[in-house]
């Protein structure tokens, strides 16, 4: 320590790692999917001896597929938080453009860091844009990046301790080489939520909101057919903003802090959701 008495450790403790604290409780309507992913990833990560005993290999790669905004990223983040894993996120389109020319190097670095910091989750969003089916591959660069991704995955040594989660909306347009054993050989479908699932998502996003008596989340779940998690989150957010706008004309924004009487007046009513 130094004279201030503050200990500065060289490497932050795992608990302090800069990963967003997202828990499984923050994910609505994906109970069975959470159970599956915990069994596939969390269990072997925490208890490799169970899998050794069974002679079953822990996965290196899991593919999450389903429409945009259904919670694939959320699920990967929650898994990282709950297992206290190092979290690396990487977007397919970004690696194809931003690191153009250095993408292979970048992939190598990310996998190396993940092994050093294990346990780790590497999340690759829109993986189909890195590794589309070969007949869709046009350029030499794309071909090299697919090859590199396969190479770094095959080279992963800490099986079960470093897991790659790939997300895609178009699983059929993925290079089949990626789905061979030892690569992304497990899949979980993350579908459009049904009524029950929508209700759970609404409950999560309305959790901290001052709701009026007339707001019935069950009714909202009934009438939001086709809405995915991201749509429901936006619906709740927008309802909150409408409630706020009703009060804004009364606000004196020059004051230090908004008086409690005014804060207490901010209530989200049914119309804020359904109008
Ligand atoms: P994309 O394929 O577009 O990346 P995604 O499936 O990864 O989509 P997320 O990024 O996880 O979707 O979801 C976006 C936001 O929508 C989340 O941050 C969250 O606020 C909300 N959301 C989506 N799905 C759920 C869910 N199942 N439960 C609670 N919130 C959700």
């Amino acid at each position: 320590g130094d004279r201030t008495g503050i200990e500065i450790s060289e490497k932050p403790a795992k608990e302090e790692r800069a990963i967003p604290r997202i828990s499984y409780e923050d994910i609505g309507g994906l109970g069975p999917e959470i159970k599956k992913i915990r069994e596939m990833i969390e269990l072997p990560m925490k208890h490799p001896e169970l899998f050794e005993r069974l002679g079953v290999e822990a996965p290196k790669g899991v593919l999450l597929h389903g429409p945009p905004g259904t919670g694939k990223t959320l699920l990967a983040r929650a898994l990282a938080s709950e297992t206290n894993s190092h979290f690396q996120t990487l977007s397919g389109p970004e690696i194809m453009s931003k690191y153009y020319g250095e993408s292979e190097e970048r992939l190598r670095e990310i996998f190396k860091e993940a092994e050093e910091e294990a346990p780790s989750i590497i999340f690759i969003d829109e993986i189909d844009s890195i590794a589309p089916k070969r007949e869709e591959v046009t350029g030499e660069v794309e071909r090299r990046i697919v090859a590199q991704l396969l190479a770094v995955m095959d080279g992963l040594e800490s099986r079960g301790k470093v897991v790659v989660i790939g997300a895609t909306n178009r699983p059929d347009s993925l290079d089949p080489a990626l789905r061979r054993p030892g690569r992304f050989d497990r899949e979980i479908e993350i579908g459009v939520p049904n009524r029950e699932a929508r209700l759970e998502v609404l409950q999560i996003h309305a959790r901290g909101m001052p709701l009026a008596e007339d707001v019935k989340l069950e009714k909202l779940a009934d009438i939001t057919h086709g809405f995915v998690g991201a749509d429901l989150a936006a619906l709740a957010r927008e309802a909150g903003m409408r409630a706020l706008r009703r009060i804004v004309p009364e606000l004196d924004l020059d004051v230090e802090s908004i008086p409690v009487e005014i804060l207490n007046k901010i209530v989200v009513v049914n119309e804020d959701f359904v109008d």
Side-chain angles (χ1 to χ4, degrees):
D2 59 13
R3 268 168 298 176
T4 60
I6 298 168
E7 290 284 338
I8 300 167
S9 60
E10 285 189 4
K11 210 173 173 187
K14 283 191 180 174
E15 288 67 34
E16 291 164 4
R17 281 172 171 181
I19 47 171
R21 304 300 322 179
I22 292 177
S23 88
Y24 297 129
E25 307 281 297
D26 299 320
I27 307 176
L30 294 178
E33 291 79 3
I34 292 171
K35 188 162 175 272
K36 263 190 215 162
I37 205 165
R38 293 189 69 180
E39 213 173 77
M40 272 179 204
I41 301 181
E42 196 173 325
L43 203 53
M45 216 176 230
K46 285 189 178 158
H47 302 288
E49 68 280 13
L50 289 175
F51 288 73
E52 276 157 30
R53 162 86 188 161
L54 284 168
V56 171
E57 299 235 65
K60 280 185 181 178
V62 174
L63 196 65
L64 302 181
H65 60 92
T70 46
K72 297 182 290 298
T73 309
L74 207 58
L75 186 56
R77 285 189 183 277
L79 189 74
S81 293
E82 301 255 4
T83 55
N84 226 342
S85 296
H86 178 71
F87 189 69
Q88 281 272 22
T89 169
L90 208 154
S91 110
E94 189 180 86
I95 207 133
M96 298 309 291
S97 59
K98 191 159 147 206
Y99 304 105
Y100 206 75
E102 319 160 36
S103 302
E104 291 157 275
E105 180 56 30
R106 181 84 188 117
L107 275 174
R108 251 197 310 274
E109 275 170 16
I110 284 172
F111 275 70
K112 184 164 170 272
E113 190 183 317
E115 295 235 48
E116 286 165 1
E117 304 284 328
S120 299
I121 305 274
I122 302 173
F123 179 69
I124 310 181
D125 203 5
E126 295 182 63
I127 191 168
D128 46 277
S129 65
I130 305 188
K133 269 192 187 143
R134 301 213 186 182
E135 53 264 35
E136 287 179 26
V137 171
T138 44
E140 180 56 28
V141 180
E142 283 83 352
R143 242 184 290 273
R144 287 205 331 247
I145 295 173
V146 182
Q148 181 63 35
L149 178 61
L150 297 178
V152 284
M153 280 195 77
D154 291 345
L156 271 183
E157 279 165 15
S158 0
R159 202 179 183 119
K161 297 279 181 201
V162 177
V163 184
V164 190
I165 299 180
T168 179
N169 315 323
R170 314 184 307 151
D172 294 334
S173 61
L174 210 61
D175 187 334
L178 234 77
R179 294 161 92 172
R180 297 226 178 92
R183 294 167 181 170
F184 291 92
D185 54 8
R186 324 276 164 110
E187 295 183 10
I188 300 178
E189 186 184 351
I190 310 292
V192 173
N194 62 16
R195 185 198 172 275
E196 289 317 304
R198 291 197 299 273
L199 178 58
E200 278 185 36
V201 177
L202 282 167
Q203 281 162 342
I204 288 167
H205 288 282
R207 214 153 46 185
M209 292 187 146
L211 298 181
E213 281 287 320
D214 69 339
V215 179
K216 300 274 184 277
L217 297 181
E218 286 83 359
K219 291 228 174 77
L220 289 172
D222 286 338
I223 60 172
T224 44
H225 184 90
F227 280 47
V228 294
D231 299 329
L232 296 165
L235 182 70
R237 200 162 51 231
E238 191 47 41
M241 291 311 293
R242 284 191 187 166
L244 181 62
R245 277 181 218 122
R246 266 199 309 280
I247 293 294
V248 163
E250 296 180 35
L251 292 183
D252 173 5
L253 294 173
D254 291 331
V255 296
E256 277 268 312
S257 61
I258 312 287
V260 182
E261 313 85 78
I262 302 274
L263 283 180
N264 285 343
K265 275 194 179 175
I266 305 180
V267 172
V268 188
V269 301
N270 187 50
E271 262 178 30
D272 293 324
F273 281 95
V274 296
D275 219 28

